[in-house]
Structure formats: C-alpha cells, structure tokens
Amino acid sequence: MGLAPSGKRRQVAANPEETDTAAMTDEKTIRRVAINTGGGDAPGLNAVIRAIVLASIHRGWEVFGIENGYGGLLSDEPGGLIRLDREDVRGITHRGGTILGTTNRGNPFEWPVEGPDAAPRARDRADEVVAAFHEHDLDALIAIGGDGSLHIANELHQEGLPVVGVPKTIDNDLSATSLTFGFLTAVETATDAIGKLHSTAESHQRVMVVEVMGRNAGWIALFSGLAGTADVILIPEIPYDIDKVCAKIREREARGRHFSIVCVAEGATQIDGEVVMKTVPHGTGEQTRIGGIGEVVAREIADRTGKETRSLTLGHLQRGGTPVSYDRVISLRFGTAAVRCVERRDFGKMVALDPPDIRPVPLSQSLENIKTVPVDGDAVLTARALGVSFGD
Ligand code: F6P
C-alpha cells in the first residue's frame, strides 16, 4: 500500500475483479480472441463488440467474430470467422442488432438437422466447434449471451474452451448480475408505446392491453408499466385473478376514468393457469412459442366489463433499435471487463454488474436460477402504493 503525500496511508480500494488466481487457467499468451453473439439479439451487442475489439487491439491481440452464432465455425454452414479491425467497429456503438448476425437455432450440442422425413432433428456438433476453435489457433472465446447462449458457453468451457461470458438479454432475467444490457432499451420502447396508447385509449374510452416480452420474468412489464403509468401490471411472479383486474377497471370507471391501460408480461398466468403459448410456422424447429396472453386478457376484460377493449403485442420492436445511453455504457463496460478477464486468463466466468463495479462471477453460478421480480421488492411496493393493480 502506498503513502499519500500527506504521509497518511492511502486507501487502495480492493480490486473488484480480483479472484482466486489459482483458479485461473495458466496457459499460453493471449493473441487471438473470438467473439460469439448467438441467441436472440439485444440492443447494445454492437457496443460490446466494439469495446472488445478496441480493448484487445490495444493489447496487441487479434479479434475474430464468429458469424451467425456458432455456425461460422462449421464449414458447411453459412458465415465464417471474420477478422475485426478498428475500422470494422467504427460507428457501431449506437447501432442495434449485431454486425456478426445471429440465430437462436445455433446450439452446437443440439444442432438442428432435417431428418429423412423433413422433420427437425438435432445432432451434437460441439466437437466440431471445439476442433475449429483450435484449428483457428484461438486463445479465448467471449460469448455474449442470455440464459440459453451462456448455458452453451458454460458447456463449451467444460469441453475445455477458455470462455468468458457477457450478460445479454432484454429480459433482465440473469441472476448474478443486477442488470443485463438491452433491458433498459426494451423498457424505453415499451414505455413509449404505453405512453402513446394513453391518448387513443382516453379518446375512445377503451381498455388497451399491451403485451410485452420477458419470458418467465416480469421485469419489462413492471418497469415499463410503472414508467408508462399503466393501471394494471400482470407479471409471471404474481398470478392474477381476472375478476380483480376487472374490478380495477370498474373502480376507474366509477371515478370517471373511462379508459384503462393493462401491461401484461408474455409469461404472466392466471392463478392456477398456464403460460399462454402460440403455434409457430413449420420450419423453425419449435412447435409453440410463448405469447398470446394479451389477447386472452383483452377478451376476458371485454366479456366481463362490456368495455371496448383492444390488445397490442409489442414483440420484437423491444429487441430492435438504437440502445439507450445507459445500455451503451454498460455494454462498453461489460466488453472491456471481459477483455480484462481474458488477459488474466480468468475463464469460466461471466462479467456481472454489482454496482458500482463489474465483477467476474462463475458462469455456472449465473445460470443456477433465473432472476425474477421479487414480489415484496421495492418496485412492486411502489406500484402498489401508486394504486397499480397486479390482479391479486
Ligand atoms: O429472451 C429474449 C426474448 O426476446 C424473449 O423476451 C422472447 O420471449 C424471446 O426472446 C423471443 O425470441 P425469438 O422470437 O427470437 O425466438
């Protein structure tokens, strides 16, 4: 510890990134780093890529982007491994999507192949991905992903790849990080939509039901519902009773408020009910996908209250567009923190926001549970204090 000019012992803050060095892989010098952006996209991905590229070049490393998830490492799939230089990441901090392309059908452990009867099947191609990684003489993989992609990254780490994860998802449902990048932009988009629905709902004296994303977590619904002043917020963590939802709408009517806004998370369920799923077109490898609750809630409200009710599903609008400034900043911070992990050979970790710091946490730990909204947490209590109904 150094001495400050006053002669006093200077306080040196503990490095939040310091971890057990014995646990770190001590192998060859880092020279070539690969980036993967598999899974659903989220605003801020390009900012993470830019941060990784610039921080790596600064260290004299080369950086490569794997195109289209892990497909870029498989010779018979479209895309490849592309070198990313300073010029390739110029002006992309504010751009939505990923310059590398992505797919959420790119799990190398269950690679989709068409069976003889054109039915979708899966083949384990992880060995090919691992072999390609070594053939390309790569020293580290930075996997930017949500729950699914980080599970894959963790499995690849168990197969021996030196992996660092970066938490990406608009759902904000990864435990071990207080925030995932993309979430705040999705909230901004949903809040804007709820704001716009107010004027048309009020003019027509209607109930507007807006369905937002989030899978089995209610973060987007809660935050956008609060910010956009929805009257009812339905989240997976608090199963709802439709009669209570209607009671709230009637209570507003009685007060002369002839319109209401209901913000419902796609994963919300009625008490003792199930998540509403919709069928998806053939060829996607899935039969059903979460979604459709907005229409269900709207129909039930119209039937019970007799009020004209419309529903709107925001869908992928929430995943697109330019990241809000905080998502850009957190993405840049995550990207550079991941590079510092690589430099220390601190693999098998995910960089996590633990305000005010970014810390590496074991990848496996970050995947143990999904992070759901605490039902007695401050945000829910705030909404309740403001008169918001959760339908319970
Ligand atoms: O996990 C992010 C997310 O946007 C969820 O909120 C949503 O349910 C899902 O992905 C949609 O994924 P896709 O339509 O890309 O399969």
Side-chain angles (χ1 to χ4, degrees), residues 79-92:
L81 192 68
I82 53 165
R83 192 180 141 134
L84 296 172
D85 290 314
R86 192 175 286 276
E87 307 76 58
D88 301 306
V89 296
R90 190 168 286 152
I92 65 168

Side-chain angles (χ1 to χ4, degrees), residues 279-314:
T279 48
V280 293
H282 177 72
T284 57
E286 310 164 274
Q287 257 107 50
T288 55
R289 188 178 296 160
I290 194 166
I293 182 80
E295 270 184 46
V296 172
V297 169
R299 210 178 312 122
E300 291 186 340
I301 290 173
D303 288 350
R304 284 173 164 76
T305 65
K307 277 203 72 73
E308 214 182 332
T309 306
R310 297 283 190 273
S311 75
L312 169 83
T313 301
L314 291 187

Side-chain angles (χ1 to χ4, degrees), residues 39-41 104 146 169-171 173 212-215 220 266 286 289-290 315-316 318-319:
D41 64 350
N104 39 19
T169 167
I170 65 163
D171 303 337
D173 62 351
V212 298
M213 282 185 167
R215 286 196 310 173
I220 299 176
E266 62 183 1
E286 310 164 274
R289 188 178 296 160
I290 194 166
H316 296 82
Q318 298 157 95
R319 291 236 301 255

Side-chain angles (χ1 to χ4, degrees), residues 105-230:
R105 301 182 62 215
N107 181 350
F109 295 89
E110 287 173 32
W111 198 263
V113 283
E114 279 220 340
D117 50 359
R121 305 220 193 302
R123 183 151 70 93
D124 186 349
R125 302 188 68 182
D127 285 354
E128 292 171 64
V129 166
V130 171
F133 182 88
H134 294 305
E135 274 158 30
H136 288 290
D137 206 13
L138 296 165
D139 302 309
L141 169 67
I142 299 180
I144 313 169
D147 178 54
S149 309
L150 291 180
H151 260 109
I152 296 167
N154 192 38
E155 284 185 73
L156 288 173
H157 177 64
Q158 280 154 14
E159 296 289 318
L161 290 197
V163 177
V164 173
V166 175
K168 164 217 72 175
T169 167
I170 65 163
D171 303 337
N172 196 33
D173 62 351
L174 284 174
S175 56
T177 182
S178 71
L179 191 69
T180 57
F181 76 82
F183 168 64
L184 291 175
T185 305
V187 168
E188 199 64 30
T189 301
T191 302
D192 184 48
I194 294 171
K196 287 176 174 155
L197 290 175
H198 264 91
S199 56
T200 174
E202 187 161 15
S203 305
H204 285 264
Q205 304 198 342
R206 283 174 173 158
V207 177
M208 299 294 306
V209 178
V210 55
E211 176 184 320
V212 298
M213 282 185 167
R215 286 196 310 173
N216 303 107
W219 295 105
I220 299 176
L222 178 59
F223 275 52
S224 62
L226 256 177
T229 66

